[in-house]
Amino acid sequence: MQYMILIYGDEQAYQSMPAEAQQDVFKAFMEYNAALAAGGVLRAGESLQPSFTASTIRMKDGRVQTTDGPFAETREQLGGYYVIETTSLDDAIAWAARCPAIHGGSLEVRPLAGVGVG
Amino acid sequence: VSSAARAVDDALVTFWGDERVRVLATLIKSARGDIDAAEDALADAVGSAVTEWAEHGIPDRPAAWLLTVARNRLIDASRRAAASDTTLDEQREFAADDTAAPSADTDDRRNEAATAAVDDRLALLFACCHPALAPLAQSSLALRTIGGLTARDIARAFLEPEATTAQRLVRATRKVRDAAIAIEIPAPEQRAERIGVVRQVIYLLFNEGYAANNTAVHQRDGLCREAIRLAELLAALDTNDTESRGLIALMSFHHARRNTRLDGDGVIVPLEEQDRTRWHREEISRADELLVATLRRKQPGPYQIQAAIAALHAKAPTASATDWVQISTLYAGLRFWWPTPIVELNAAVALAMARGPEWGLAELDTLATQPDMAHFHLLPAARADLLRRAERFDEARIAYAEAIALTTATSERRYLERRLAEVSARPS
């Protein structure tokens, strides 16, 4: 079963960290990526640019309307994702729990529908 | 109805009470958490049994027969699904895996051995209680799969519209299947954080059987026995698990009084009026031995305390010989663990019995001022009872009427109506 791990955190908190602390976070993520790869569960993953770079589009009166930023103002923003493959939810949760973002943020673990787009 | 058909009926009723949960749990595991598919397959197998058994006789091991037939139904269903949608890899895998399962005609003996050895009930319970499910989804799912209750029964127990329960069940079953919640007993480290909910749900299952709400007598008794068996399986995982042993003892003390809880008309008989000669004494002694051995480990907890209270009731030779002073002390301890409305209420009643009704009434008046107690339907019932004991009959009459208006369970309401008639006949 493939699961997406959606990483939510406070961007402000990260951006206001001293450079050294940011380096530590980066290093922790590199180690986590390596662990996922070594465990044979990693299928995909990326981190995202800050949410102010996002555009939200929706259809209004038959026309595409573009607005800036994410849909709603929240304390935590989507900052990145992984796709991993494990046999059960518990295994997926165990992997997600090792993600450095768990300190101060939260992770959503959600099965992929498995329908695919290709 | 022919005697053969009646024998088949009896065999199926016995299966439903004693072995349904175990077979269903194994099927759900085979179906990789697809509860609906497993339930459909079992229903199909029971349907086949009705005709097959009447014709060819009841098999030596009905549960093994039903498991095998239901498993084959599952394989057929997944093959059909795989044929209609070949992009779903997991269904192909599932079909491939289970082709190895013995078929009804070829390898009955091997399958019987497997049925005897495998017990997935506890694994199913842990899956129902997975923290990825909301608390109400956990208990609803357990009541449906393990308790065998319908959405309508559960809705009635939770005092909510049936559509709400049904919707919650649809989501919960989908989540177990689609998020691949494993039908497994978790490793000891994860077990520690999940065992509290599991115990709570076991006790809920027991109480649903015990509450005499809306279900038939044999089904209620089956539910109680199933809950006790689950607690025994849970306790067997860990010799240091004192609370699960407390839970076994607690339920066993209650269950030993099953024959006296309701009168011939289905009206609740209060503890003090129950015929103690009809209590199952050997079950009480066994529960007591377990409790004493457990308390000696000196790792107290709420289930052990409740079991100790139940033990004092079960062992009192007469109602008036009940050691209310000790019970009242135990409730004071229980309030520390579980300051819930029902515990607070029982603590007040125990105090009344130990020291006099006025003491309990004063406690109840304090409780009534707390916001979470305002709509608690047992509060006026307890108050009415203490007012009756204090011989304040006019006030008791008003309190009983209030309690009746708030009570939905028929057996409880009829008890309250009986009391109301009694106090109405008394001059104040």
Side-chain angles (χ1 to χ4, degrees), chain A residues 1 3 87-90 93 111 114, chain B residues 130 132 177-182 194:
Chain A
M1 177 85 55
Y3 298 86
T87 51
S88 74
L89 179 63
D90 282 333
I93 288 173
Chain B
H130 197 283
R177 185 192 66 192
D178 294 346
I181 289 179
R194 291 172 60 178

Side-chain angles (χ1 to χ4, degrees), chain B residues 27 59 68 78-79 82 84 93 138 154 216 224 264 281-282 331 343 360 362 373 390 397 406-407:
Chain B
L27 286 169
T68 306
S78 79
R79 279 207 190 108
S84 71
E93 261 172 57
Q138 295 171 335
I154 299 167
C224 290
R281 286 289 154 197
E282 69 302 342
Y331 269 117
V343 171
M373 297 290 281
R397 217 160 30 232
L406 288 170
T407 304

Side-chain angles (χ1 to χ4, degrees), chain B residues 254-275:
Chain B
H254 287 324
H255 196 52
R257 296 194 280 104
R258 60 189 168 279
N259 291 345
T260 58
R261 210 178 124 75
L262 298 178
D263 68 12
D265 299 324
V267 181
I268 284 195
V269 181
L271 193 55
E272 58 182 313
E273 293 174 13
Q274 290 178 12
D275 175 2

Side-chain angles (χ1 to χ4, degrees), chain B residues 127-195:
Chain B
C128 290
C129 298
H130 197 283
L133 298 167
L136 274 176
Q138 295 171 335
S139 32
S140 306
L141 205 51
L143 285 168
R144 171 170 150 193
T145 56
I146 294 166
L149 267 61
T150 61
R152 175 188 266 182
D153 296 334
I154 299 167
R156 240 185 270 179
F158 288 176
L159 306 175
E160 63 185 14
E162 190 180 333
T164 309
T165 315
Q167 165 82 338
R168 188 190 306 121
L169 281 168
V170 167
R171 288 200 171 161
T173 46
R174 270 196 63 180
K175 185 156 189 181
V176 170
R177 185 192 66 192
D178 294 346
I181 289 179
I183 313 294
E184 263 164 29
I185 295 168
E189 317 84 75
Q190 277 107 49
R191 214 149 63 210
E193 79 171 283
R194 291 172 60 178
I195 200 163

